[in-house]
Amino acid sequence: MTLTLDEVTKLYPGRKTPAVRSFTSELTAGVYGLLGPNGAGKSTLMKMMTDQLKPSAGAVRYEGRPIASLGKSYRHVLGYMPQQQGMYADFTGRRFLWYMAALKGLDRKTTAARTEEWLQRVNLEQDADRKLGDYSGGMKQRLLLAQSLLNDPKVLILDEPTAGVDPKERIRIRNMIATLAGDKIVLLATHVVEDIEAIAKEIILIRGGEKIAQAPPQAVLAMAEGRVREYRIREEELQAFQEAHRVSQIKRDSGGIWVRVVQDEPLSGLPMREAAPSLEDVYLHLFQDAT
Ligand SMILES: Nc1ncnc2c1ncn2[C@@H]1O[C@H](COP(=O)(O)OP(=O)(O)OP(=O)(O)O)[C@@H](O)[C@H]1O
Ligand SMILES: [Mg+2]
């Protein structure tokens, strides 16, 4: 099972620079985290991978065949959770899933079974008969995730699935995605770096529409190795320090403040300790100047 991106480019009409530029990648079963700042091109890339948007150049292939030529048969193996989606406020959660299942061409028996299964797995069975207009943001996200899984997809594209979801549900969703991933290609765009760090087989970093790395989490963490340090400073120095340096974390203890800085060279004149990079540190290191 492979999904390949071959020099995929998207230039939106009226724009001078492409939103996605010569993007090449190969995905096999497992979870891939797509990480990049706002406007990096994540959603655009995902729309091309789900055949919602035609690339200006290049191709997306599933099992070696361009998805544009696969049509319905690609849709049958695809699950997609968009970043934004209109949902009819008058629908109940259960009705919404039935409606989505119909759009996916599932028969009644399969729909009935899968709808109940997913309502339960995303923890919405109690709220299944409430109207979507009364759902919280986190409930809507969980319902959209359930919708993407109704057809038991082989390729699952999730555009910020845990946006607005509380930590308890986020962890539940994260674990669910990790469990599902055994026999699926899962691509997950998120800004919640701990989610990716915990479950991704590989992390794909995107900036300004270009892929800047694709590697296992450990290798991505190594990109900031030797650049992360914590310094002891006094409370009254904090503001000026933050204006002068890229601070990724501020920790207070009985002895004062530790500020964490990602920077090539160490600062002199302050008590210092080396720290192991986190994905957040790498993010800051790579995307500090990105818009
Ligand atoms: N329909 C569109 N028409 C023109 N430009 C667009 C369109 N959609 C997105 N863009 C532009 O393409 C670039 C990439 O946007 P995209 O939504 O793919 O980024 P993203 O990485 O998903 O960002 P976010 O983290 O905010 O969701 C941005 O510069 C954006 O303004
Ligand atoms: Mg987006």
Side-chain angles (χ1 to χ4, degrees), residues 27 40 68 73 98 155 178 195 225 239 242-243 263 269:
L27 313 187
S73 65
W98 273 83
V155 176
D195 283 357
E225 194 65 58
Q239 194 172 346
Q242 284 199 82
E243 280 161 15
Q263 196 161 281

Side-chain angles (χ1 to χ4, degrees), residues 12-13 15 19 36-45 47 83 160 191:
Y12 284 111
R15 303 281 301 221
N38 291 132
K42 302 180 294 296
S43 295
T44 302
L45 190 69
K47 284 178 195 160
Q83 188 170 11
E160 305 205 22
H191 292 113

Side-chain angles (χ1 to χ4, degrees), residues 161-177:
T162 56
V165 174
D166 73 36
K168 186 168 137 261
E169 282 304 326
R170 214 187 72 216
I171 291 164
R172 196 183 158 103
I173 289 174
R174 179 212 290 168
N175 292 343
M176 203 168 74
I177 293 170

